[in-house]
């Protein structure tokens, strides 16, 4: 029987291509991107590369792209920015 999942608002599976891209940073290249040691710098470069890629797709500046840890943080960031801009 095929499994059908209807709660994608709560969580969803990763696309295989996304998982393959992220896997090195979840297993072997897991440095703190805010640190100055080589693992951290490597992580920071990967984040900045992803930021540039997303910005290019959205036709915006990389400084306009923010990565968050999940939906609640994203919602709070958007609400705070909207209030600030009022």
């Amino acid at each position: 029987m095929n499994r059908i999942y209807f709660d994608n608002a709560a969580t969803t599976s990763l696309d295989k291509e996304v998982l393959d891209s992220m896997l090195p940073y979840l297993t072997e290249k897991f440095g703190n991107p805010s640190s100055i040691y080589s693992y951290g710098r490597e992580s920071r470069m990967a984040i900045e590369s992803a930021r540039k890629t997303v910005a290019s797709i959205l036709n915006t500046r990389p400084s306009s792209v923010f990565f968050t840890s999940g939906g609640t943080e994203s919602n709070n960031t958007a609400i705070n920015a909207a209030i600030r801009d009022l």
Side-chain angles (χ1 to χ4, degrees):
M1 175 179 274
N2 287 336
R3 189 173 177 182
I4 300 173
Y5 185 74
F6 289 109
D7 196 14
N8 286 296
T11 188
T12 191
S13 65
L14 285 176
D15 181 85
K16 175 81 169 98
E17 188 175 343
V18 173
L19 178 60
D20 291 344
S21 296
M22 289 177 58
L23 205 51
Y25 299 98
L26 299 171
T27 57
E28 56 200 51
K29 300 179 180 183
F30 51 85
N32 177 350
S34 297
S35 67
I36 60 171
Y37 51 84
S38 63
Y39 278 10
R41 289 192 311 268
E42 187 175 25
S43 295
R44 169 63 75 176
M45 287 190 310
I47 291 169
E48 294 309 321
S49 176
R51 189 183 317 278
K52 288 176 185 174
T53 299
V54 171
S56 176
I57 291 168
L58 297 176
N59 195 29
T60 191
R61 300 179 322 273
S63 61
S64 297
V65 176
F66 296 88
F67 296 124
T68 64
S69 64
T72 299
E73 186 179 357
S74 296
N75 291 341
N76 288 338
T77 300
I79 291 167
N80 285 329
I83 291 170
R84 184 198 65 225
D85 290 347
L86 286 176

